[in-house]
Short mmCIF file of all heavy atoms in Angstrom, two decimals:
data_model
loop_
_atom_site.label_atom_id
_atom_site.label_comp_id
_atom_site.label_asym_id
_atom_site.label_seq_id
_atom_site.Cartn_x
_atom_site.Cartn_y
_atom_site.Cartn_z
N ARG A 207 105.94 118.57 17.53
CA ARG A 207 105.26 118.01 18.70
C ARG A 207 106.25 117.73 19.83
O ARG A 207 105.92 117.90 21.02
CB ARG A 207 104.51 116.73 18.31
CG ARG A 207 103.29 116.97 17.44
CD ARG A 207 102.41 115.74 17.36
NE ARG A 207 103.07 114.64 16.67
CZ ARG A 207 102.99 114.41 15.35
NH1 ARG A 207 102.29 115.24 14.59
NH2 ARG A 207 103.59 113.38 14.81
N TYR A 208 107.46 117.30 19.46
CA TYR A 208 108.49 117.08 20.48
C TYR A 208 108.83 118.38 21.20
O TYR A 208 108.89 118.42 22.44
CB TYR A 208 109.73 116.48 19.84
CG TYR A 208 110.92 116.47 20.76
CD1 TYR A 208 110.92 115.71 21.92
CD2 TYR A 208 112.05 117.25 20.49
CE1 TYR A 208 112.00 115.71 22.79
CE2 TYR A 208 113.13 117.26 21.34
CZ TYR A 208 113.11 116.50 22.49
OH TYR A 208 114.17 116.51 23.36
N CYS A 209 109.03 119.44 20.45
CA CYS A 209 109.31 120.74 21.07
C CYS A 209 108.18 121.17 22.00
O CYS A 209 108.42 121.70 23.10
CB CYS A 209 109.53 121.80 19.99
SG CYS A 209 111.06 121.62 19.05
N GLN A 210 106.97 120.96 21.58
CA GLN A 210 105.82 121.33 22.41
C GLN A 210 105.80 120.54 23.71
O GLN A 210 105.46 121.08 24.77
CB GLN A 210 104.52 121.10 21.61
CG GLN A 210 104.34 122.09 20.47
CD GLN A 210 103.22 121.71 19.52
OE1 GLN A 210 102.77 120.54 19.48
NE2 GLN A 210 102.75 122.67 18.73
N ALA A 211 106.18 119.25 23.65
CA ALA A 211 106.24 118.43 24.86
C ALA A 211 107.30 118.96 25.82
O ALA A 211 107.09 119.02 27.04
CB ALA A 211 106.53 116.98 24.50
N ILE A 212 108.45 119.37 25.29
CA ILE A 212 109.52 119.94 26.12
C ILE A 212 109.07 121.25 26.75
O ILE A 212 109.23 121.48 27.96
CB ILE A 212 110.80 120.14 25.29
CG1 ILE A 212 111.43 118.80 24.89
CG2 ILE A 212 111.80 121.01 26.04
CD1 ILE A 212 112.01 118.02 26.04
N LEU A 213 108.50 122.12 25.95
CA LEU A 213 108.12 123.46 26.42
C LEU A 213 106.99 123.42 27.44
O LEU A 213 106.82 124.36 28.22
CB LEU A 213 107.74 124.34 25.23
CG LEU A 213 108.88 124.65 24.26
CD1 LEU A 213 108.34 125.29 22.99
CD2 LEU A 213 109.92 125.56 24.91
N ALA A 214 106.21 122.35 27.43
CA ALA A 214 105.09 122.22 28.36
C ALA A 214 105.51 121.75 29.75
O ALA A 214 104.70 121.79 30.69
CB ALA A 214 104.04 121.26 27.79
N LEU A 215 106.76 121.32 29.90
CA LEU A 215 107.21 120.79 31.19
C LEU A 215 107.25 121.87 32.25
O LEU A 215 107.79 122.96 32.01
CB LEU A 215 108.60 120.17 31.04
CG LEU A 215 108.72 118.90 30.21
CD1 LEU A 215 110.17 118.50 30.07
CD2 LEU A 215 107.91 117.78 30.85
N PRO A 216 106.74 121.60 33.45
CA PRO A 216 106.86 122.58 34.55
C PRO A 216 108.30 122.98 34.81
O PRO A 216 108.58 124.15 35.09
CB PRO A 216 106.24 121.83 35.74
CG PRO A 216 105.27 120.88 35.12
CD PRO A 216 105.91 120.44 33.84
N ALA A 217 109.23 122.03 34.73
CA ALA A 217 110.65 122.36 34.96
C ALA A 217 111.15 123.37 33.94
O ALA A 217 111.92 124.28 34.28
CB ALA A 217 111.49 121.08 34.90
N VAL A 218 110.72 123.22 32.69
CA VAL A 218 111.15 124.15 31.64
C VAL A 218 110.50 125.51 31.85
O VAL A 218 111.15 126.56 31.69
CB VAL A 218 110.80 123.58 30.26
CG1 VAL A 218 110.94 124.63 29.17
CG2 VAL A 218 111.70 122.37 29.96
N LYS A 219 109.25 125.54 32.23
CA LYS A 219 108.57 126.82 32.48
C LYS A 219 109.24 127.57 33.62
O LYS A 219 109.39 128.80 33.58
CB LYS A 219 107.09 126.57 32.78
CG LYS A 219 106.30 126.07 31.58
CD LYS A 219 104.84 125.86 31.92
CE LYS A 219 104.04 125.41 30.70
NZ LYS A 219 102.62 125.18 30.99
N ARG A 220 109.68 126.85 34.65
CA ARG A 220 110.38 127.50 35.76
C ARG A 220 111.71 128.07 35.31
O ARG A 220 112.10 129.17 35.71
CB ARG A 220 110.58 126.50 36.91
CG ARG A 220 109.33 126.16 37.69
CD ARG A 220 109.65 125.46 38.99
NE ARG A 220 110.34 124.20 38.77
CZ ARG A 220 109.73 123.03 38.62
NH1 ARG A 220 108.39 122.97 38.65
NH2 ARG A 220 110.41 121.91 38.45
N ILE A 221 112.42 127.32 34.48
CA ILE A 221 113.71 127.80 33.97
C ILE A 221 113.52 129.08 33.16
O ILE A 221 114.26 130.06 33.32
CB ILE A 221 114.39 126.71 33.14
CG1 ILE A 221 114.95 125.62 34.06
CG2 ILE A 221 115.50 127.29 32.26
CD1 ILE A 221 115.50 124.41 33.34
N TYR A 222 112.51 129.09 32.30
CA TYR A 222 112.24 130.30 31.51
C TYR A 222 111.91 131.48 32.42
O TYR A 222 112.40 132.60 32.21
CB TYR A 222 111.09 130.04 30.54
CG TYR A 222 111.53 129.68 29.14
CD1 TYR A 222 111.56 128.36 28.73
CD2 TYR A 222 111.91 130.66 28.23
CE1 TYR A 222 111.97 128.02 27.44
CE2 TYR A 222 112.31 130.33 26.95
CZ TYR A 222 112.34 129.01 26.55
OH TYR A 222 112.74 128.68 25.27
N ALA A 223 111.08 131.25 33.44
CA ALA A 223 110.69 132.33 34.35
C ALA A 223 111.91 132.89 35.08
O ALA A 223 112.07 134.11 35.22
CB ALA A 223 109.65 131.83 35.34
N GLU A 224 112.79 132.01 35.54
CA GLU A 224 114.00 132.45 36.24
C GLU A 224 114.95 133.18 35.29
O GLU A 224 115.59 134.17 35.68
CB GLU A 224 114.70 131.25 36.87
CG GLU A 224 113.94 130.66 38.06
CD GLU A 224 114.69 129.50 38.68
OE1 GLU A 224 115.94 129.54 38.72
OE2 GLU A 224 114.03 128.54 39.13
N ALA A 225 115.03 132.70 34.06
CA ALA A 225 115.90 133.36 33.07
C ALA A 225 115.40 134.76 32.77
O ALA A 225 116.20 135.71 32.65
CB ALA A 225 115.95 132.52 31.80
N HIS A 226 114.09 134.93 32.64
CA HIS A 226 113.53 136.26 32.38
C HIS A 226 113.82 137.21 33.54
O HIS A 226 114.11 138.40 33.33
CB HIS A 226 112.03 136.15 32.13
CG HIS A 226 111.69 135.41 30.88
ND1 HIS A 226 110.41 134.98 30.60
CD2 HIS A 226 112.45 135.02 29.82
CE1 HIS A 226 110.41 134.36 29.43
NE2 HIS A 226 111.62 134.37 28.96
N GLU A 227 113.74 136.70 34.75
CA GLU A 227 114.04 137.52 35.92
C GLU A 227 115.53 137.89 35.95
O GLU A 227 115.89 139.04 36.24
CB GLU A 227 113.66 136.77 37.20
CG GLU A 227 113.65 137.63 38.46
CD GLU A 227 112.59 138.72 38.43
OE1 GLU A 227 111.57 138.55 37.74
OE2 GLU A 227 112.82 139.75 39.11
N GLU A 228 116.37 136.93 35.65
CA GLU A 228 117.81 137.17 35.61
C GLU A 228 118.18 138.23 34.57
O GLU A 228 119.08 139.05 34.77
CB GLU A 228 118.52 135.85 35.29
CG GLU A 228 120.02 135.94 35.10
CD GLU A 228 120.60 134.64 34.58
OE1 GLU A 228 120.78 133.70 35.38
OE2 GLU A 228 120.86 134.56 33.35
N TYR A 229 117.45 138.22 33.46
CA TYR A 229 117.72 139.10 32.33
C TYR A 229 117.55 140.58 32.69
O TYR A 229 118.11 141.46 32.04
CB TYR A 229 116.79 138.72 31.18
CG TYR A 229 117.13 139.29 29.82
CD1 TYR A 229 118.36 139.03 29.23
CD2 TYR A 229 116.21 140.04 29.11
CE1 TYR A 229 118.66 139.53 27.97
CE2 TYR A 229 116.49 140.54 27.85
CZ TYR A 229 117.72 140.27 27.28
OH TYR A 229 118.01 140.76 26.03
N LYS A 230 116.80 140.83 33.74
CA LYS A 230 116.58 142.22 34.17
C LYS A 230 117.86 142.86 34.68
O LYS A 230 118.01 144.09 34.63
CB LYS A 230 115.49 142.26 35.24
CG LYS A 230 114.11 141.82 34.78
CD LYS A 230 113.11 141.82 35.92
CE LYS A 230 111.74 141.34 35.48
NZ LYS A 230 110.77 141.29 36.61
N THR A 231 118.78 142.07 35.19
CA THR A 231 120.00 142.61 35.81
C THR A 231 121.29 142.08 35.20
O THR A 231 122.37 142.59 35.51
CB THR A 231 120.01 142.30 37.32
OG1 THR A 231 119.81 140.90 37.53
CG2 THR A 231 118.91 143.07 38.03
N HIS A 232 121.20 141.05 34.35
CA HIS A 232 122.41 140.46 33.76
C HIS A 232 122.23 140.31 32.25
O HIS A 232 121.51 139.44 31.78
CB HIS A 232 122.70 139.09 34.38
CG HIS A 232 123.03 139.15 35.84
ND1 HIS A 232 124.28 139.54 36.31
CD2 HIS A 232 122.27 138.90 36.93
CE1 HIS A 232 124.27 139.51 37.63
NE2 HIS A 232 123.07 139.13 38.04
N VAL A 233 122.90 141.19 31.50
CA VAL A 233 122.83 141.18 30.04
C VAL A 233 124.26 141.12 29.49
O VAL A 233 125.13 141.87 29.93
CB VAL A 233 122.12 142.43 29.49
CG1 VAL A 233 122.14 142.44 27.96
CG2 VAL A 233 120.68 142.50 30.01
N VAL A 234 124.48 140.19 28.56
CA VAL A 234 125.79 140.01 27.95
C VAL A 234 125.66 140.32 26.46
O VAL A 234 124.95 139.62 25.73
CB VAL A 234 126.32 138.58 28.15
CG1 VAL A 234 127.70 138.42 27.50
CG2 VAL A 234 126.38 138.24 29.64
N ALA A 235 126.34 141.38 26.01
CA ALA A 235 126.17 141.87 24.64
C ALA A 235 126.48 140.81 23.59
O ALA A 235 125.84 140.77 22.53
CB ALA A 235 127.04 143.10 24.43
N HIS A 236 127.44 139.94 23.88
CA HIS A 236 127.85 138.91 22.92
C HIS A 236 126.68 138.03 22.49
O HIS A 236 126.67 137.50 21.37
CB HIS A 236 128.95 138.05 23.54
CG HIS A 236 129.33 136.86 22.72
ND1 HIS A 236 130.08 136.95 21.57
CD2 HIS A 236 129.04 135.53 22.89
CE1 HIS A 236 130.25 135.74 21.06
NE2 HIS A 236 129.64 134.87 21.83
N TYR A 237 125.70 137.86 23.37
CA TYR A 237 124.57 136.97 23.09
C TYR A 237 123.33 137.70 22.60
O TYR A 237 122.30 137.07 22.34
CB TYR A 237 124.22 136.17 24.36
CG TYR A 237 125.30 135.22 24.78
CD1 TYR A 237 126.28 135.60 25.69
CD2 TYR A 237 125.37 133.93 24.27
CE1 TYR A 237 127.29 134.73 26.08
CE2 TYR A 237 126.37 133.05 24.65
CZ TYR A 237 127.33 133.46 25.56
OH TYR A 237 128.32 132.59 25.94
N GLU A 238 123.42 138.99 22.47
CA GLU A 238 122.27 139.79 22.05
C GLU A 238 122.34 140.02 20.54
O GLU A 238 122.74 141.08 20.07
CB GLU A 238 122.23 141.11 22.82
CG GLU A 238 122.10 140.95 24.32
CD GLU A 238 120.77 140.29 24.71
OE1 GLU A 238 119.72 140.70 24.19
OE2 GLU A 238 120.82 139.35 25.53
N LEU A 239 121.95 139.02 19.77
CA LEU A 239 122.08 139.05 18.33
C LEU A 239 120.78 139.46 17.63
O LEU A 239 119.69 139.13 18.12
CB LEU A 239 122.50 137.67 17.81
CG LEU A 239 123.78 137.08 18.40
CD1 LEU A 239 124.06 135.71 17.77
CD2 LEU A 239 124.96 138.02 18.18
N TYR A 240 120.95 140.17 16.53
CA TYR A 240 119.84 140.47 15.59
C TYR A 240 118.72 141.30 16.22
O TYR A 240 117.59 141.31 15.71
CB TYR A 240 119.24 139.17 15.00
CG TYR A 240 120.24 138.09 14.73
CD1 TYR A 240 120.13 136.83 15.34
CD2 TYR A 240 121.32 138.32 13.89
CE1 TYR A 240 121.06 135.84 15.10
CE2 TYR A 240 122.27 137.32 13.64
CZ TYR A 240 122.13 136.07 14.26
OH TYR A 240 123.05 135.11 14.01
#
Side-chain angles (χ1 to χ4, degrees):
R207 289 194 294 269
Y208 169 65
C209 290
Q210 290 168 342
I212 291 292
L213 294 169
L215 292 175
V218 168
K219 291 181 178 179
R220 287 194 298 270
I221 286 173
Y222 263 99
E224 290 182 35
H226 294 167
E227 192 65 27
E228 175 189 281
Y229 194 58
K230 295 177 182 178
T231 53
H232 295 281
V233 176
V234 180
H236 173 75
Y237 295 92
E238 299 296 313
L239 303 181
Y240 323 122

